[in-house]
Amino acid sequence: MTPVVAPFPLTRLRRTRKSAALRALTRQNTLTVHDLIWPVFVMDGTDASYDIPSMPGVKRLTVDRLVAAARDAAALGIPAICIFPYTDPALKTDCCSEAWNPDNLSNRAIRAIKDAVPEIAVMTDVALDPYNPDGHDGFVRNGHVVNDETVEALAKMAVEQARAGADILGPSDMMDGRIGAMRAACEAEGFRDVAILSYAAKYASAFYGPFRDAVGASGALKGDKKTYQMDPGNSDEALRLIHRDLMEGADMVMVKPGLPYLDICRLTKDQFGVPTYAYQVSGEYAMVKAAAANGWIDGDAVMFESLMAFKRAGCDGILSYFAMDVARALDA
Ligand code: PBG
């Protein structure tokens, strides 16, 4: 489609900008509460929270407080919450068996939320990093993150999350073959309706730093994740990964990080026309918060503008730590 521009003064593009009413009528994209997935951090204990220093306004919550937070989110209309566990370091082992323990922290949180607030969709994180002393998303053998053994473990982990009541499985590990293995394992166990939102195009990014603080993985991480997460210079590879994951049974796909990879969001939507999500990651959140705290930008305005950018780039939804702030502002 070629945009039509008749010569001036037949066209004065300022006509449709002249008032709030005209701007509202001609606006192509809008952000609503239904576009949001809220990532949350859960920890052991009762009635407690811990402020994450590198993510001002974000807390780790105990399961009881997380349930209350999920109730608030659902009341505001947020459709989904995504759980990340802060695992007790004593439970981290090289065999990562806590990952598929039916009663691990994450699975207890899923069950508690689905019992108390069944209307909110619960999304999980499928990766070994919260359970691995190395901080890697897969098993480490002789200094290498091994693929196929990890995929078997991820499939077991996914099945336990589905059994706990998860609505959406979120494999964030970037191993090859994990989507097919998880889909087959879920079908075999009778979990036919659980959705998979694949972290399909996940880049090896420096924007994940504050998240690794939040889940207690930053100090532990030996080496980087460049042998499994994508090289920031690539875009064709993102489309191959997305195609591959869809063919293996993913229902929805994600691009991560968000704003620095909006081109990939647009390419994905145009090429595949599937439910497409972006993760506005911890570093993106922290940058906005830090600049706003210094009085250098208007934090709320930048929050809305950056989330709108995802809609313009073709995303159907955004995982964002701003979800509750946005929902409250839209509700006001
Ligand atoms: C790891 C995982 C990461 C994030 C989500 N899942 C970090 C990593 O890959 O090291 C990052 C999210 C964020 O930065 O907000 N499985």
Side-chain angles (χ1 to χ4, degrees):
M1 185 183 67
T2 316
V4 176
V5 189
F8 176 85
L10 299 181
T11 299
R12 289 180 187 270
L13 287 164
R14 290 184 59 190
R15 285 180 195 132
T16 53
R17 294 183 209 136
K18 76 169 190 175
S19 66
L22 268 289
R23 290 192 295 273
L25 267 180
T26 54
R27 186 171 302 128
Q28 275 186 273
N29 296 286
T30 48
L31 178 72
T32 80
V33 70
H34 298 136
D35 299 318
L36 301 168
I37 300 176
W38 183 29
V40 293
F41 300 103
V42 62
M43 65 178 190
D44 276 313
T46 44
D47 198 21
S49 69
Y50 170 83
D51 291 315
I52 298 155
S54 51
M55 300 178 73
V58 176
K59 298 168 190 299
R60 294 179 198 139
L61 300 174
T62 52
V63 172
D64 52 335
R65 288 215 186 171
L66 180 58
V67 169
R71 196 174 282 120
D72 293 345
L76 287 165
I78 291 178
I81 193 167
C82 180
I83 300 175
F84 294 97
Y86 175 83
T87 308
D88 178 350
L91 294 172
K92 299 187 185 194
T93 56
D94 291 338
C95 70
C96 301
S97 55
E98 183 64 8
W100 53 93
N101 173 357
D103 286 317
N104 70 20
L105 176 60
S106 169
N107 291 334
R108 279 184 276 125
I110 296 167
R111 259 186 240 112
I113 294 173
K114 292 311 295 187
D115 275 353
V117 198
E119 65 273 26
I120 201 161
V122 173
M123 174 171 167
T124 65
D125 184 49
V126 189
L128 298 183
D129 56 312
Y131 309 101
N132 193 336
D134 285 285
H136 276 296
D137 293 22
F139 291 122
V140 182
R141 304 274 181 261
N142 302 321
H144 293 289
V145 175
V146 295
N147 194 86
D148 299 14
E149 244 180 285
T150 299
V151 167
E152 282 173 37
L154 296 172
K156 285 194 278 184
M157 183 178 180
V159 164
E160 291 315 318
Q161 293 174 343
R163 203 185 309 284
D167 300 286
I168 305 169
L169 305 174
S172 67
D173 55 288
M174 289 296 282
M175 299 298 121
D176 288 317
R178 75 248 163 87
I179 304 298
M182 287 172 48
R183 178 54 78 208
C186 285
E187 287 284 327
E189 293 284 327
F191 301 115
R192 302 196 176 105
D193 295 327
V194 68
I196 299 179
L197 198 179
S198 176
Y199 288 59
K202 177 172 175 178
Y203 286 83
S205 172
F207 285 94
Y208 306 149
F211 173 96
R212 292 177 188 165
D213 295 342
V215 296
S218 35
L221 187 61
K222 293 188 189 128
D224 55 46
K225 299 191 175 183
K226 291 179 182 171
T227 69
Y228 48 106
Q229 299 180 348
M230 274 183 69
D231 188 293
N234 293 349
S235 54
D236 291 344
E237 187 187 358
L239 300 180
R240 295 178 73 196
L241 286 162
I242 286 161
H243 183 255
R244 192 260 325 255
D245 286 3
L246 290 168
M247 295 304 286
E248 288 186 20
D251 305 282
M252 307 142 96
V253 294
M254 189 202 294
V255 175
K256 179 184 174 188
L259 283 191
Y261 297 88
L262 281 186
D263 55 327
I264 308 299
C265 298
R266 173 46 70 194
L267 285 169
T268 301
K269 195 61 174 181
D270 287 350
Q271 185 129 343
F272 300 104
V274 295
T276 300
Y277 300 81
Y279 199 143
Q280 182 183 47
V281 299
S282 56
E284 299 177 67
Y285 174 86
M287 290 195 304
V288 175
K289 284 289 183 181
N294 275 295
W296 295 337
I297 59 170
D298 174 340
D300 275 358
V302 170
M303 167 179 87
F304 275 109
E305 188 178 332
S306 57
L307 289 166
M308 180 68 91
F310 292 107
K311 295 300 298 291
R312 202 182 55 245
C315 293
D316 296 287
I318 309 111
L319 285 95
S320 174
Y321 301 101
F322 287 118
M324 286 295 271
D325 295 340
V326 171
R328 283 197 201 96
L330 291 175
D331 196 49

